[in-house]
């Protein structure tokens, strides 16, 4: 496994007497791994991608406390934002959903695609905010009284 793959682990550096020397994976990391297996990926492949032992992954699958996070929470945010009719609100909800997926530990193969999508969404948000700032700046300029003589009328 490459060093890049190891950097994607959501490992917490804390050690206790019972886990000394063993990495402690976050609940989000475990839930992501379990959801990948339940989504049809092979246990061996997921374990290899994430750098964990197959037996560890099997234990997570059998643990009722390691349930995949409900995908509806972020999807609901996107749906609600879409209902507002605000493009900016939808983009912000999408940004948060994509960033959450990256933080949960996407596969190394999917990371570049998600990172590029996140970058594009953030550029769109910045463009909208830039337009809003310009619009606000223009509205602060007071109108001069109209003088038809300036037009030669």
């Amino acid at each position: 496994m490459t060093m890049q793959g190891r950097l994607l682990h959501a490992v917490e550096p804390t050690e206790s007497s019972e886990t000394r020397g063993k990495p402690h994976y976050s609940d989000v990391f475990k839930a992501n791994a379990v959801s990948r297996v339940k989504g049809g990926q092979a246990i061996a492949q997921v374990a290899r991608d994430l750098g964990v032992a197959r037996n560890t992954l099997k234990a997570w699958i059998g643990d009722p406390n390691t349930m995949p996070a409900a995908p509806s929470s972020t999807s609901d945010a996107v749906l609600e934002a879409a209902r507002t009719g605000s493009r900016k609100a939808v983009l912000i909800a999408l940004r948060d959903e994509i960033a959450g997926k990256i933080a949960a530990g996407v596969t190394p193969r999917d990371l570049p695609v998600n990172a590029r999508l996140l970058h594009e969404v953030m550029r769109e948000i910045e463009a909208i905010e830039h337009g809003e700032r310009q619009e606000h700046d223009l509205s602060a300029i007071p109108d001069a009284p109209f003088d038809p003589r300036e037009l030669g009328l």
Side-chain angles (χ1 to χ4, degrees), residues 18-114:
E18 47 192 54
T19 62
R20 193 171 314 264
K22 297 180 186 176
H24 178 73
Y25 297 97
S26 71
D27 291 338
V28 173
F29 182 81
K30 292 177 185 179
N32 179 52
V34 170
S35 66
R36 288 176 58 185
V37 172
K38 289 187 176 184
Q41 292 185 10
I43 292 175
Q45 181 63 45
V46 173
R48 191 171 30 256
D49 288 348
L50 299 177
V52 299
R54 284 183 292 183
N55 288 337
T56 301
L57 183 53
K58 287 178 185 177
W60 294 346
I61 293 168
D63 184 0
N65 296 325
T66 312
M67 295 305 295
S72 62
S73 60
T74 54
S75 298
D76 285 349
V78 174
L79 181 61
E80 289 301 315
R83 287 182 179 147
T84 67
S86 167
R87 179 172 169 77
K88 182 179 176 183
V90 171
L91 289 169
I92 289 172
L94 283 172
R95 176 200 62 195
D96 294 346
E97 182 170 347
I98 296 165
K101 286 181 180 179
I102 292 171
V106 296
T107 64
R109 182 190 73 202
D110 293 337
L111 182 61
V113 173
N114 283 287

